[in-house]
Amino acid sequence: PCAGKSSCLVHITRKATEAGFDVYTAPEVATLFFNSGVQLGDILARDDKEGMFTFQSALLQHQLSLERALTKIAASTGRPSIIIFDRGCIDAKGYMSQEVWERVLGEANSTSTDDGTLKKGVTEEYLLKRYDGVLHLVTAADGAPQFYKHGKVKDDAGNDVIRHESPEQAVELDKKMREVWKAHPQHHIVANGAGGFQEKLSAASEVVLELARKTHPEEYETAQKKQR
């Protein structure tokens, strides 16, 4: 929370577009839910385990649907493309118990089978393999606390968001996010350095473009040719 994701998305989009890529950026599903009237605070206050399961199960399913839709659209263009998701599926693990997480995984729809039906249940391994890279932006509460905002606030793009975490909770959650994603072979952490926020933006963009070059070299070369 409050790590600069919105500003980074703008910066990365500009840099990747300049490098010859089409760029797709997806919103955070939880924020879509909150802005639609979902009251997660009430669920937490009641310690409503079934309510939390229902919320998290819906969130994962919607995230998967959004990812699949954008991937399909990007692939249909035949152009070198980068898709950036504000949050990844594994993020949800940091917000619930292992028991609830396993139930959520069991309820999610997997990929379509040859006959067009859906298989029930996914694994963490399946979710991890969906992403070429994971970019972890460290919360402002860790290293730049004067810039941390919580409650009903506006993000860097001026959009209304609900940030429930106190600075202390944000730091703890940041640690959880590092832990749940640590198995990904391309897990990159961008901290709040001495160079300030601009340095953080530049570092994040460099990670994304380098991931594109390493994981999809042919598409990267095609994008470079567009700029020559």
Side-chain angles (χ1 to χ4, degrees):
C2 197
K5 293 192 299 295
S6 298
S7 291
C8 271
L9 280 174
V10 173
H11 193 270
I12 292 169
T13 298
R14 180 169 61 82
K15 288 294 184 180
T17 301
E18 290 173 355
F21 289 95
D22 290 352
V23 182
Y24 300 79
T25 59
E28 181 182 15
V29 175
T31 297
L32 292 177
F33 285 0
F34 299 148
N35 288 342
S36 299
V38 173
Q39 301 296 319
L40 183 60
D42 290 346
I43 295 174
L44 293 172
R46 298 194 308 270
D47 192 24
D48 183 354
K49 292 182 174 56
E50 285 304 310
M52 178 58 74
F53 165 72
T54 299
F55 172 80
Q56 294 290 358
S57 184
L59 189 151
L60 178 59
Q61 195 58 58
H62 195 79
Q63 176 81 26
L64 285 169
S65 296
L66 181 61
E67 290 181 4
R68 290 164 180 161
L70 282 179
T71 301
K72 187 175 182 179
I73 291 169
S76 72
T77 68
R79 297 193 296 271
S81 304
I82 293 175
I83 309 176
I84 302 172
F85 297 98
D86 186 289
R87 290 278 198 166
C89 290
I90 301 289
D91 280 27
K93 183 181 180 181
Y95 292 87
M96 68 190 90
S97 67
Q98 182 65 27
E99 178 185 7
V100 174
W101 174 238
E102 289 176 359
R103 287 183 65 195
V104 169
L105 291 178
E107 282 297 309
N109 289 329
S110 185
T111 52
S112 298
T113 56
D114 291 338
D115 61 3
T117 61
L118 291 175
K119 296 185 295 182
K120 185 69 73 174
V122 297
T123 64
E124 282 193 35
E125 181 182 16
Y126 167 78
L127 296 180
L128 284 168
K129 287 182 177 179
R130 297 181 63 76
Y131 309 101
D132 289 321
V134 179
L135 182 62
H136 178 104
L137 303 178
V138 175
T139 175
D142 183 1
Q146 67 273 28
F147 297 108
Y148 186 78
K149 299 175 288 184
H150 68 289
K152 186 173 183 179
V153 299
K154 292 186 180 296
D155 64 17
D156 299 325
N159 302 310
D160 290 326
V161 296
I162 304 296
R163 187 170 295 126
H164 298 279
E165 301 86 2
S166 67
E168 295 76 18
Q169 290 171 327
V171 172
E172 184 61 29
L173 180 58
D174 193 278
K175 294 177 181 177
K176 287 183 179 179
M177 291 299 103
R178 297 191 200 199
E179 181 67 20
V180 299
W181 284 102
K182 69 179 183 180
H184 198 287
Q186 291 290 341
H187 184 202
H188 299 266
I189 297 173
V190 180
N192 300 295
F197 193 51
Q198 190 59 45
E199 179 183 71
K200 193 175 187 180
L201 294 176
S202 297
S205 296
E206 289 171 8
V207 167
V208 171
L209 288 173
E210 182 63 10
L211 278 170
R213 186 185 68 80
K214 286 183 176 180
T215 59
H216 298 281
E218 292 183 8
E219 289 83 354
Y220 186 87
E221 180 62 23
T222 299
Q224 294 299 292
K225 287 178 180 178
K226 286 173 59 180
Q227 302 307 104
R228 293 172 186 166

